[in-house]
Amino acid sequence: MSRHAQLRDHDVNPCVAETDASNKCMDDNNYNKDKCTAYFLKYRNCRKFWHAIMMQRRRNGVKPEMPSAEERKKMLESMGKPY
């Protein structure tokens, strides 16, 4: 699987929706980053949140370290979207 395909895979990348929203904002605003700050922040918070989950699972010996897309969906439903 190519690197680009991995980044689009919801089981590998938990922040695909945030990535897409950031890219769409940039496209819609003629690549003016100042207008997309909120989208960038959401993406960064998403990455931080799931990285922390992954590191905790690694410390606890849980495999796979990144929860599957279905497992992440259940986690987010139980706690509300934290980012």
Side-chain angles (χ1 to χ4, degrees), residues 51 53-63 65:
H51 184 262
I53 296 288
M54 189 177 71
M55 295 308 294
Q56 184 64 45
R57 288 169 63 106
R58 184 178 292 165
R59 281 191 292 275
N60 293 340
V62 177
K63 295 284 183 181
E65 294 164 356

Side-chain angles (χ1 to χ4, degrees), residues 1-82:
M1 183 180 290
S2 73
R3 176 85 174 131
H4 179 72
Q6 283 184 329
L7 293 176
R8 302 296 313 153
D9 183 356
H10 289 274
D11 277 328
V12 175
N13 181 0
C15 301
V16 171
E18 289 77 7
T19 301
D20 291 346
S22 294
N23 288 333
K24 182 177 182 335
C25 180
M26 290 291 284
D27 288 342
D28 292 348
N29 290 291
N30 202 26
Y31 291 84
N32 182 346
K33 291 181 182 178
D34 294 334
K35 294 186 178 184
C36 300
T37 304
Y39 292 96
F40 298 152
L41 185 59
K42 268 188 121 170
Y43 171 78
R44 187 170 65 229
N45 289 339
C46 177
R47 296 299 298 178
K48 283 182 181 180
F49 176 79
W50 289 112
H51 184 262
I53 296 288
M54 189 177 71
M55 295 308 294
Q56 184 64 45
R57 288 169 63 106
R58 184 178 292 165
R59 281 191 292 275
N60 293 340
V62 177
K63 295 284 183 181
E65 294 164 356
M66 178 59 74
S68 68
E70 186 62 34
E71 190 177 353
R72 289 193 308 267
K73 182 179 176 184
K74 290 176 184 175
M75 291 169 71
L76 290 175
E77 287 171 355
S78 72
M79 68 175 69
K81 199 164 188 175

